[in-house]
Amino acid sequence: MKTRYVLSAVCLAAACMLTGTARAELYKWVDENGKTHYGDQVPERYQQKQQSLKVDKAPSQADRDAALQRIQREKNTANALKAQREAKSGASVKPVKAGAGEVPNETACQKEWRLFHEGMACFAPFRTANRSIRAEAYQHCKEMTEPKSVCPP
């Protein structure tokens, strides 16, 4: 009878150890470019820079739902800002082909300026935040040089 209690106590202790609080090891480190990374394993070259983070439990369904709602709000905000930026710059989503339409009775200078502005409008949707132009723009748009100074704008 006594061994039965001892065996029960040992089994209970083992069960408590196995079902104790779930702790996951999570690490944080910063690479040579200053970018912060998180993961359950740290690359060897960043072992000295690692910081151990303790995670006591998995996020609840409410936490997951709140995170999904926050992601959706941030996506909506980003899309609204993009639309505002495009409307402000006059850039359309699709590139405008240079030379799309001839204008009757225009002078050679007027034609040069028209083609130049059409080319600029074609490249506009392909401009990045730092004002450079993505490579695929050259597949859609004809590069035009600014008309000479003998042609006033």
Side-chain angles (χ1 to χ4, degrees):
M1 186 79 151
K2 192 174 185 182
T3 56
R4 185 179 209 187
Y5 287 118
V6 172
L7 186 59
S8 296
V10 170
C11 288
L12 181 63
C16 287
M17 287 175 26
L18 290 175
T19 62
T21 60
R23 286 186 89 86
E25 286 294 318
L26 183 66
Y27 300 99
K28 173 183 173 182
W29 67 96
V30 179
D31 66 14
E32 59 275 352
N33 297 324
K35 185 174 180 183
T36 302
H37 300 271
Y38 297 90
D40 57 353
Q41 295 179 349
V42 181
E44 276 199 38
R45 64 180 179 209
Y46 301 116
Q47 291 288 332
Q48 288 358 29
K49 298 179 182 181
Q50 79 172 2
Q51 181 181 9
S52 181
L53 305 172
K54 300 287 185 207
V55 180
D56 289 332
K57 60 180 178 146
S60 67
Q61 186 61 41
D63 291 338
R64 285 189 207 108
D65 292 341
L68 289 173
Q69 288 174 354
R70 187 176 65 248
I71 289 169
Q72 190 59 47
R73 278 193 315 269
E74 289 175 1
K75 281 183 182 179
N76 292 343
T77 302
N79 289 336
L81 290 172
K82 181 180 177 184
Q84 284 177 352
R85 191 171 47 245
E86 287 175 353
K88 194 176 198 179
S89 70
S92 62
V93 177
K94 294 183 180 177
V96 178
K97 294 286 184 183
E102 295 295 321
V103 176
N105 301 327
E106 71 180 341
T107 66
C109 283
Q110 290 171 334
K111 182 176 181 179
E112 281 186 53
W113 278 105
R114 179 179 53 79
L115 292 175
F116 173 73
H117 289 298
E118 287 175 358
M120 293 296 286
C122 181
F123 280 101
F126 298 102
R127 290 205 181 270
T128 62
N130 66 356
R131 305 300 294 156
S132 63
I133 298 173
R134 294 193 311 259
E136 67 261 23
Y138 295 95
Q139 297 170 356
H140 302 282
C141 306
K142 183 178 179 186
E143 192 171 5
M144 303 294 294
T145 57
E146 189 170 343
K148 297 177 182 129
S149 60
V150 294
C151 284

